Amino acid sequence: MKLNYLKYFVLTFFFSFGLMYGQTTLVDEDFRDGSEPAGWSSVDVSYQTAAGGYARFDELTSVLTSPSIDVSAFEEVEVNFDVAKFGPGDDGPLTLEYSLDGGDNWIVFGDTAIPDDATYLSETHVITDVSADMQIRFTRENSPSDKRFRDLVVNGLGVAADPNVPAVAAPTPTEDENDVISYFSSAYSDVPVDTWLTPWSASQFEDVVIDGEPTKRYFNLDFAGIETVGPNAIDASEMDFFHMDVWSPNATEFRIKLVDLGDGTIEGEIPFDIAQGEWVSLQIPLEDFADVDLVTDPNNLLTVRNSIQQLIISGFPTGDLDVYVDNIYFSQEPVSAGNGEECSTAFVVDQIPFNDSGDTADTGDNYSSTDRPTIDNAIFTEGTGSGLYINGNDTVYEFTPDEDGVFNFELSNIGSWVGFWLFEGCDPFTNTVAYS
């Protein structure tokens, strides 16, 4: 019996957003020179030079409004200023408001602390909304007394990552090292690669580090050749998949071509529509490179892959494509570790001699007498061959001989009412080879 593995194609998306924390000063107005700063507007606010200079909120209707500030490249906006009471009257705060649409709509952030004399209180407030057309304003609507205001500094916090560069590294692969032939991945030992940019390529190339992870970047890309030639040719005949993680700010199509040069030129190329601005994990069945319905040219099919010497990437927009790539490797379907409960999770006899021990109570009762096929063709028989010996707890093993031969099966330390069955096929069993 042999398990058949489902071949599949997977696009996996990682949305992440990374920020490189710091601050950038966007506004720095001290309001000390007795005049309204350029771009600002105010109602019932006077500008004084006495006592070190300040803007005075003279009326309950006083409003001081900033010009538009582009804070779209930041995660947060920090607003710092000093405020003090002026003259008599009951104590009260200034109120901070902000707009994200150039002043059409205003959001009340909240009141400042309440100064009770001419001593300035230093305030810091952080607004978590951002936009390309933000304005801030201060009002005196909640303060019976006049207010002095000065030394305003507005900082952008959390400088956003360049939208044309990945903020985080590609996802870490999980395949076992023994199931992989890797061109480039920190997760595996890589095979020798002769060049990451052949002389005949139409692209620029650089090695970069993304979030601490070595990554390859191709830009101004039309097409780029990667070669493993001569003794470095890759025999991928036992592999099942080709994998590449791709990130691009502008790709409308991305293409991968594998070229076998062992006996002439045998190649296959597949195009992909990939999302922009996020890591896309391409896990491609190698048989797809020989599928006329998937390749770019049905006259070129990768029907042989025991001497892969070229990997070529390309795409659109031609000559302007910018891509980051990581985790480039071939992989094969791993042999399932199994748990012995049923055919799909059978323990695999992967070497001769093979020894195992356990208790059928651990694998449960999954088959019964009705699952037993005919015993008429059995080549070894011992006992009655009754289907009753399939009832009860059972453990399933998969054995696929590499060649013809005589194989001995022996059970030891067993209790009563134990049956041993050797069937062809699985789910359903199609023929009884032996029983004891």
Side-chain angles (χ1 to χ4, degrees):
M1 64 192 82
K2 186 175 182 180
L3 294 178
N4 292 317
Y5 293 95
L6 176 66
K7 303 293 183 182
Y8 58 93
F9 171 72
V10 178
L11 284 175
T12 305
F13 302 90
F14 295 82
F15 299 92
S16 56
F17 299 88
L19 295 172
M20 180 175 58
Y21 282 90
Q23 71 177 35
T24 301
T25 299
L26 305 173
V27 176
D28 186 355
E29 295 287 355
D30 59 20
F31 295 94
R32 291 172 177 254
D33 66 0
S35 61
E36 184 175 87
W40 287 73
S41 63
S42 60
V43 176
D44 295 328
V45 175
S46 60
Y47 300 91
Q48 312 293 326
T49 56
Y54 55 89
R56 193 174 91 189
F57 288 66
D58 299 316
E59 305 289 344
L60 279 171
T61 53
S62 295
V63 179
L64 176 62
T65 305
S66 77
S68 178
I69 311 167
D70 183 356
V71 297
S72 59
F74 303 93
E75 185 186 19
E76 299 174 328
V77 178
E78 180 186 74
V79 183
N80 305 278
F81 54 89
D82 292 343
V83 61
K85 182 179 179 181
F86 179 81
D90 293 337
D91 300 333
L94 290 181
T95 299
L96 171 61
E97 301 178 357
Y98 64 94
S99 171
L100 301 175
D101 54 12
D104 290 337
N105 297 280
W106 289 92
I107 301 168
V108 177
F109 179 85
D111 292 336
T112 68
I114 300 175
D116 55 13
D117 57 27
T119 302
Y120 282 96
L121 302 179
S122 294
E123 295 277 299
T124 297
H125 300 277
V126 177
I127 301 171
T128 57
D129 293 328
V130 296
S131 80
D133 194 12
M134 174 179 270
Q135 288 182 269
I136 58 174
R137 73 181 182 186
F138 299 88
T139 73
R140 203 195 111 181
E141 58 188 18
N142 294 323
S143 176
S145 56
D146 291 1
K147 290 293 172 289
R148 292 176 174 176
F149 177 89
R150 68 185 186 188
D151 297 341
L152 172 72
V153 177
V154 178
N155 295 318
L157 302 180
V159 180
D162 186 338
N164 295 314
V165 179
V168 297
T172 301
T174 58
E175 287 95 333
D176 188 271
E177 174 94 34
N178 295 325
D179 296 322
V180 167
I181 300 173
S182 175
Y183 284 87
F184 178 71
S185 176
S186 295
Y188 305 115
S189 299
D190 299 330
V191 299
V193 175
D194 293 277
T195 179
W196 286 97
L197 189 70
T198 60
W200 44 263
S201 298
S203 176
Q204 292 177 273
F205 164 79
E206 64 178 347
D207 285 301
V208 298
V209 176
I210 301 297
D211 194 24
E213 180 71 17
T215 306
K216 309 258 180 215
R217 180 193 178 203
Y218 292 86
F219 55 104
N220 297 327
L221 171 64
D222 184 351
F223 57 89
I226 301 159
E227 287 189 331
T228 50
V229 299
N232 294 331
I234 294 175
D235 182 356
S237 57
E238 298 299 319
M239 297 291 106
D240 298 306
F241 299 97
F242 178 78
H243 182 99
M244 180 183 289
D245 288 321
V246 185
W247 192 103
S248 175
N250 68 337
T252 56
E253 182 176 282
F254 182 71
R255 298 184 175 193
I256 297 175
K257 179 187 290 187
L258 296 176
V259 184
D260 188 295
L261 297 175
D263 185 14
T265 300
I266 303 173
E267 63 186 35
E269 180 184 62
I270 304 178
F272 301 94
D273 294 326
I274 62 172
Q276 296 179 0
E278 59 196 42
W279 282 107
V280 178
S281 293
L282 299 173
Q283 180 84 347
I284 314 162
L286 285 171
E287 60 190 18
D288 286 1
F289 287 92
D291 189 327
V292 294
D293 294 325
L294 298 177
V295 297
T296 57
D297 183 354
N299 295 313
N300 288 317
L301 302 175
L302 187 69
T303 55
V304 177
R305 50 178 187 267
N306 58 15
S307 185
I308 302 294
Q309 299 189 41
Q310 291 178 347
L311 163 62
I312 302 172
I313 60 174
S314 61
F316 298 98
T318 302
D320 193 39
L321 182 59
D322 191 355
V323 295
Y324 295 79
V325 295
D326 194 4
N327 300 319
I328 307 169
Y329 57 86
F330 295 99
S331 67
Q332 63 184 356
E333 286 279 14
V335 176
S336 173
N339 57 25
E341 292 183 357
E342 53 190 26
C343 289
S344 62
T345 57
F347 290 124
V348 177
V349 179
D350 56 1
Q351 61 182 9
I352 300 295
F354 176 86
N355 295 285
D356 191 32
S357 62
D359 191 329
T360 56
D362 295 332
T363 50
D365 181 5
N366 297 293
Y367 297 96
S368 66
S369 58
T370 59
D371 295 304
R372 191 206 71 177
T374 179
I375 62 174
D376 295 343
N377 302 317
I379 59 175
F380 177 88
T381 64
E382 183 178 66
T384 67
S386 171
L388 295 176
Y389 283 91
I390 303 180
N391 294 333
N393 295 326
D394 37 58
T395 302
V396 184
Y397 292 83
E398 174 196 343
F399 176 48
T400 306
D402 292 330
E403 56 186 21
D404 293 338
V406 177
F407 303 92
N408 296 315
F409 299 83
E410 180 180 345
L411 302 180
S412 60
N413 298 321
I414 59 176
S416 59
W417 289 93
V418 174
F420 173 81
W421 299 87
L422 184 61
F423 297 124
E424 290 181 317
C426 203
D427 281 341
F429 305 121
T430 57
N431 184 48
T432 303
V433 178
Y435 62 83
S436 173

